[in-house]
Amino acid sequence: MIRENHHVAVLVLEGAKPLDVGIPAQVFSSRPSMPYEVRVCGAAPGLVTGGDGLSYHVADGLEALERADTIFIPGYREPATTDPPAAVVGALMAARERGTRLAAISTGAFTLAATDLLDGKRATTHWHYTKILAERHPLVRVDENVLFVDEGDVLTSAGAASGIDLCLHLVRRDHGVALSNRVARRLVAAPYRNGGQAQYVPRSVPEPLGDVFASTREWALRHLDEPLTLEALARNARVSARTFSRRFVEDTGYTPMQWVLRARVDLARELLERTDLAVGQIADRVGLGTAANLRLHFQRILGTSPTEYRHTFSA
């Protein structure tokens, strides 16, 4: 049972991103209408050098975590090359043993993963770092398509704005829809966002790609509205279909037809953003045939519908 004053600690580490720090501090702000109390702390009291030219002066060190019911780890710069201090990892593990809820925003997932508390669980982080997180922590089941992941007492979110989604989710979980909607109105934020973070990745086709079959890929991008079979691609590359398929996977990580499908979805995204063409017309122009087919692949690859995507991203 959540007690009346739920204590939230925001743990600021070196390189902490200002928005990531501010989101939980703002959402759970200590005020009469909110059943939360927020305390911002660091690995030690004093000045913490943050990211984006800002620094933080925190009055409390890791001892503040001992009173917390929920601990937030905001994202920070250089997570792929920066290991969290051993004292921080130990304090987070001790907090989880006491039953404290742990939540990471964006690249804060790297610190949470360093505790091994994400092993065997689903987790996410900013799309730019999902593959790095999976490589550094292979026991974590990294999901690159969601805005946040709730694994009970350990939670992770994608990029900074997804921290708002995660915080509102926790308010909703703790105290119901009415309070979370009230908080969302105060923040002038959507109470609930559809889809995952895949729609925010600039392109579905992986970049950068190697030089193998680069000219064939360029040719294919100019002919997406035409039937593109494995044999047609191999013929353009002047190799056998078997050789083309094997070397293409080695170079891109995708089969040729997976790559073509993602290229078609990318072109559809551009047309949704820049034109008023109907979904069926766009499907025809990108080689997916029907509106139903486009919707199917859009949902599978981007986690949203063409209509929702246009509503979010069109000029």
Side-chain angles (χ1 to χ4, degrees), residues 22-44:
I23 286 170
Q26 182 76 7
V27 171
F28 300 102
S29 62
S30 303
R31 57 178 65 200
S33 62
M34 292 293 289
Y36 296 94
E37 179 181 327
V38 181
R39 186 177 295 269
V40 180
C41 64

Short mmCIF file of all heavy atoms in Angstrom, two decimals, residues 22-44:
data_model
loop_
_atom_site.label_atom_id
_atom_site.label_comp_id
_atom_site.label_asym_id
_atom_site.label_seq_id
_atom_site.Cartn_x
_atom_site.Cartn_y
_atom_site.Cartn_z
N GLY A 22 14.89 17.01 -14.50
CA GLY A 22 13.73 17.84 -14.17
C GLY A 22 12.40 17.14 -14.25
O GLY A 22 11.46 17.51 -13.54
N ILE A 23 12.29 16.12 -15.11
CA ILE A 23 10.99 15.48 -15.32
C ILE A 23 10.44 14.86 -14.04
O ILE A 23 9.34 15.21 -13.61
CB ILE A 23 11.06 14.46 -16.47
CG1 ILE A 23 11.12 15.19 -17.80
CG2 ILE A 23 9.86 13.52 -16.44
CD1 ILE A 23 11.43 14.31 -18.99
N PRO A 24 11.15 13.93 -13.37
CA PRO A 24 10.56 13.37 -12.14
C PRO A 24 10.44 14.40 -11.03
O PRO A 24 9.48 14.35 -10.24
CB PRO A 24 11.53 12.24 -11.77
CG PRO A 24 12.81 12.58 -12.45
CD PRO A 24 12.43 13.28 -13.72
N ALA A 25 11.38 15.34 -10.97
CA ALA A 25 11.28 16.38 -9.95
C ALA A 25 10.03 17.22 -10.15
O ALA A 25 9.40 17.65 -9.17
CB ALA A 25 12.54 17.26 -9.99
N GLN A 26 9.65 17.44 -11.41
CA GLN A 26 8.47 18.24 -11.71
C GLN A 26 7.19 17.44 -11.56
O GLN A 26 6.20 17.91 -10.99
CB GLN A 26 8.57 18.80 -13.13
CG GLN A 26 7.42 19.69 -13.55
CD GLN A 26 7.48 21.08 -12.94
OE1 GLN A 26 8.46 21.42 -12.29
NE2 GLN A 26 6.43 21.85 -13.10
N VAL A 27 7.18 16.21 -12.08
CA VAL A 27 5.97 15.39 -12.03
C VAL A 27 5.57 15.09 -10.59
O VAL A 27 4.41 15.23 -10.20
CB VAL A 27 6.16 14.08 -12.82
CG1 VAL A 27 4.97 13.14 -12.58
CG2 VAL A 27 6.31 14.37 -14.30
N PHE A 28 6.55 14.69 -9.78
CA PHE A 28 6.25 14.29 -8.40
C PHE A 28 6.50 15.43 -7.41
O PHE A 28 6.74 15.20 -6.23
CB PHE A 28 7.12 13.08 -8.02
CG PHE A 28 6.89 11.88 -8.88
CD1 PHE A 28 7.79 11.55 -9.89
CD2 PHE A 28 5.78 11.08 -8.71
CE1 PHE A 28 7.58 10.44 -10.69
CE2 PHE A 28 5.56 9.97 -9.51
CZ PHE A 28 6.46 9.65 -10.51
N SER A 29 6.44 16.67 -7.90
CA SER A 29 6.80 17.83 -7.09
C SER A 29 6.03 17.86 -5.77
O SER A 29 4.85 17.52 -5.71
CB SER A 29 6.53 19.12 -7.87
OG SER A 29 5.16 19.23 -8.18
N SER A 30 6.75 18.23 -4.72
CA SER A 30 6.16 18.31 -3.38
C SER A 30 5.20 19.50 -3.33
O SER A 30 5.62 20.65 -3.37
CB SER A 30 7.26 18.46 -2.33
OG SER A 30 8.18 17.40 -2.40
N ARG A 31 3.93 19.20 -3.27
CA ARG A 31 2.89 20.23 -3.18
C ARG A 31 1.67 19.62 -2.52
O ARG A 31 1.52 18.38 -2.48
CB ARG A 31 2.55 20.79 -4.56
CG ARG A 31 2.09 19.74 -5.57
CD ARG A 31 1.73 20.38 -6.91
NE ARG A 31 2.90 20.99 -7.54
CZ ARG A 31 2.81 21.91 -8.49
NH1 ARG A 31 1.63 22.34 -8.90
NH2 ARG A 31 3.91 22.40 -9.04
N PRO A 32 0.79 20.44 -1.93
CA PRO A 32 -0.35 19.89 -1.19
C PRO A 32 -1.22 18.92 -1.97
O PRO A 32 -1.78 17.98 -1.39
CB PRO A 32 -1.14 21.16 -0.82
CG PRO A 32 -0.13 22.25 -0.79
CD PRO A 32 0.85 21.91 -1.87
N SER A 33 -1.31 19.12 -3.30
CA SER A 33 -2.19 18.26 -4.10
C SER A 33 -1.54 16.93 -4.47
O SER A 33 -2.20 16.07 -5.04
CB SER A 33 -2.60 18.99 -5.38
OG SER A 33 -1.45 19.28 -6.18
N MET A 34 -0.26 16.77 -4.16
CA MET A 34 0.47 15.57 -4.57
C MET A 34 0.89 14.75 -3.35
O MET A 34 1.48 15.28 -2.42
CB MET A 34 1.71 15.96 -5.38
CG MET A 34 1.40 16.57 -6.73
SD MET A 34 0.66 15.38 -7.86
CE MET A 34 2.06 14.32 -8.21
N PRO A 35 0.62 13.43 -3.37
CA PRO A 35 1.01 12.56 -2.25
C PRO A 35 2.44 12.06 -2.38
O PRO A 35 2.75 10.90 -2.13
CB PRO A 35 0.01 11.41 -2.36
CG PRO A 35 -0.29 11.32 -3.82
CD PRO A 35 -0.22 12.72 -4.36
N TYR A 36 3.33 12.93 -2.82
CA TYR A 36 4.74 12.57 -3.02
C TYR A 36 5.64 13.63 -2.38
O TYR A 36 5.24 14.79 -2.21
CB TYR A 36 5.09 12.48 -4.51
CG TYR A 36 4.37 11.39 -5.26
CD1 TYR A 36 3.18 11.66 -5.95
CD2 TYR A 36 4.87 10.09 -5.28
CE1 TYR A 36 2.52 10.65 -6.65
CE2 TYR A 36 4.22 9.08 -5.98
CZ TYR A 36 3.04 9.37 -6.66
OH TYR A 36 2.39 8.37 -7.35
N GLU A 37 6.83 13.21 -2.06
CA GLU A 37 7.87 14.12 -1.58
C GLU A 37 9.14 13.81 -2.37
O GLU A 37 9.57 12.66 -2.43
CB GLU A 37 8.11 13.92 -0.09
CG GLU A 37 9.20 14.82 0.49
CD GLU A 37 9.43 14.57 1.96
OE1 GLU A 37 8.44 14.25 2.66
OE2 GLU A 37 10.58 14.68 2.41
N VAL A 38 9.73 14.83 -2.99
CA VAL A 38 10.87 14.64 -3.87
C VAL A 38 12.14 15.16 -3.23
O VAL A 38 12.16 16.24 -2.64
CB VAL A 38 10.65 15.36 -5.22
CG1 VAL A 38 11.84 15.13 -6.15
CG2 VAL A 38 9.37 14.88 -5.89
N ARG A 39 13.20 14.37 -3.37
CA ARG A 39 14.52 14.80 -2.91
C ARG A 39 15.52 14.49 -4.02
O ARG A 39 15.55 13.38 -4.54
CB ARG A 39 14.91 14.07 -1.63
CG ARG A 39 16.22 14.55 -1.01
CD ARG A 39 16.47 13.81 0.30
NE ARG A 39 15.47 14.14 1.28
CZ ARG A 39 15.56 15.13 2.16
NH1 ARG A 39 16.63 15.90 2.15
NH2 ARG A 39 14.60 15.35 3.04
N VAL A 40 16.33 15.48 -4.40
CA VAL A 40 17.36 15.30 -5.41
C VAL A 40 18.69 15.08 -4.70
O VAL A 40 19.06 15.83 -3.80
CB VAL A 40 17.45 16.53 -6.34
CG1 VAL A 40 18.54 16.32 -7.39
CG2 VAL A 40 16.10 16.77 -7.02
N CYS A 41 19.40 14.03 -5.11
CA CYS A 41 20.65 13.69 -4.44
C CYS A 41 21.70 13.28 -5.47
O CYS A 41 21.41 13.17 -6.66
CB CYS A 41 20.44 12.56 -3.42
SG CYS A 41 19.92 11.00 -4.16
N GLY A 42 22.92 13.05 -5.00
CA GLY A 42 24.00 12.62 -5.87
C GLY A 42 24.77 11.49 -5.23
O GLY A 42 24.40 10.98 -4.16
N ALA A 43 25.87 11.10 -5.86
CA ALA A 43 26.73 10.08 -5.25
C ALA A 43 27.33 10.61 -3.96
O ALA A 43 27.67 9.84 -3.06
CB ALA A 43 27.82 9.68 -6.23
N ALA A 44 27.46 11.93 -3.85
CA ALA A 44 27.94 12.61 -2.64
C ALA A 44 27.36 14.02 -2.64
O ALA A 44 27.03 14.55 -3.71
CB ALA A 44 29.47 12.65 -2.62
#
